[in-house]
Amino acid sequence: MGEVSKWDIYDKLIASIPDDLRIEACLTGLSWFLVRSKGVGIAMTPPEGSRDYCFTGKINGAPVKAVAQWVKSWNYFEAAMGLAAINSVINTPQRLEETLAVKWEEQPPKDVFVQMREQLRGKKVAVIGHFRDLELLAPLCELSILERRPQQGDYPDPACEYILPQQDFVFITATTLINKTLPRLLELSRNAFVVLAGPSTPLSPVLFEYGIDILAGTAVVEQQTVWRLMQEGDRQEFFDTGAKMVQVAAKDYSLFRNTP
């Protein structure tokens, strides 16, 4: 993979949004932002940044593409809402079936870390973001967890410059799209097998062009259920109620694209 242009990933994701599509509703939850347009898109509520920001009058009824542009904002609340707007178009069940040949009955019931346990055995593995239950991987591999707000045993995120070039596998939280660190993390991980993970992940084949091997994200299949859960401050219940984990590999997409 060649050098990653800092804004190229963002511009290509934004370019995939139709010009005439408008936002029907948005929700600023405790843990997640939601946008409803063609479907419901999710992005994590930023844990950092000023909470004085107000979206009033700026989103409902606005063109999705205009709000999607916010993903390039240095205000993380704007950027998260922009990412949710992108996901409201890209991560719809219909689009996933059409563009990535997703077959729901073949999607794994467990998260990507569980699915890849045997591949990770004995390998050097770095994870950007302290995902739940990561400690279960520690006995299997040489695990390094990098986190902006480190927990016990985590590395602070500047350690990525030293750690990532030495890894066999790198898992990156999609919230790095919000804080703009993803392009650099991909540069540092170019010798590794790379997974972009989390509900904020745009399930777009565009991302395969930048050295990402697996997209592990979420599609909302029961919109009303997920919307209600988020209104009630849900953190993780939606994983089991109303949303489906989706994993798509670059190699499988290439085979799909080459099929007559």
Side-chain angles (χ1 to χ4, degrees):
M1 184 185 67
E3 183 179 355
V4 177
S5 171
K6 299 303 183 189
W7 293 116
D8 195 46
I9 293 175
Y10 298 87
D11 290 336
K12 286 190 176 181
L13 288 171
I14 294 165
S16 67
I17 307 301
D19 292 329
D20 58 350
L21 192 62
R22 291 189 175 269
I23 291 175
E24 297 176 7
C26 72
L27 190 157
T28 55
L30 293 174
S31 299
W32 306 96
F33 284 177
L34 300 187
V35 167
R36 183 192 297 130
S37 63
K38 199 169 185 178
V40 170
I42 299 175
M44 181 174 283
T45 302
E48 55 205 3
S50 171
R51 292 187 175 269
D52 293 333
Y53 188 81
C54 181
F55 291 113
T56 302
K58 299 179 180 180
I59 301 176
N60 289 358
V64 179
K65 196 163 194 171
V67 175
Q69 295 275 356
W70 293 1
V71 75
K72 297 174 69 173
S73 172
W74 289 104
N75 179 301
Y76 290 162
F77 288 88
E78 284 187 342
M81 193 62 76
L83 184 55
I86 289 170
N87 289 340
S88 75
V89 177
I90 287 177
N91 289 11
T92 66
Q94 181 181 357
R95 182 180 174 92
L96 294 174
E97 292 167 9
E98 293 173 352
T99 63
L100 292 172
V102 167
K103 295 180 175 59
W104 300 104
E105 66 278 6
E106 297 177 2
Q107 287 301 307
K110 302 294 184 181
D111 67 42
V112 69
F113 300 103
V114 175
Q115 292 300 122
M116 294 182 64
R117 279 174 62 92
E118 292 308 311
Q119 291 174 256
L120 303 179
R121 190 177 295 276
K123 303 296 185 179
K124 293 182 178 180
V125 179
V127 181
I128 313 296
H130 199 116
F131 288 82
R132 59 180 180 174
D133 298 330
L134 279 182
E135 291 76 8
L136 299 176
L137 292 181
L140 303 176
C141 60
E142 187 178 330
L143 179 64
S144 302
I145 302 172
L146 297 98
E147 174 60 54
R148 182 148 291 191
R149 298 182 299 170
Q151 302 179 30
Q152 182 67 33
D154 293 352
Y155 290 94
D157 56 0
C160 66
E161 297 285 339
Y162 301 84
I163 292 175
L164 296 190
Q166 314 303 323
Q167 301 303 299
D168 300 309
F169 291 85
V170 175
F171 294 81
I172 304 175
T173 172
T175 59
T176 55
L177 277 163
I178 295 171
N179 65 30
K180 315 301 183 292
T181 58
L182 181 61
R184 178 57 181 161
L185 294 172
L186 293 177
E187 291 175 0
L188 293 169
S189 305
R190 56 183 172 268
N191 296 323
F193 187 99
V194 178
V195 179
L196 188 67
S200 303
T201 302
L203 294 163
S204 169
V206 161
L207 295 170
F208 293 143
E209 300 174 17
Y210 300 93
I212 296 171
D213 296 286
I214 289 180
L215 299 172
T218 300
V220 174
V221 294
E222 297 178 22
Q223 295 187 17
Q224 291 184 340
T225 298
V226 172
W227 203 271
R228 176 183 57 79
L229 288 171
M230 299 306 190
Q231 285 177 320
E232 296 172 350
D234 180 49
R235 291 181 179 274
Q236 296 183 344
E237 186 179 339
F238 74 97
F239 284 111
D240 302 312
T241 308
K244 287 188 178 294
M245 296 182 184
V246 180
Q247 295 174 27
V248 185
K251 63 178 182 62
D252 294 335
Y253 176 68
S254 297
L255 291 173
F256 164 63
R257 293 289 291 175
N258 292 331
T259 301

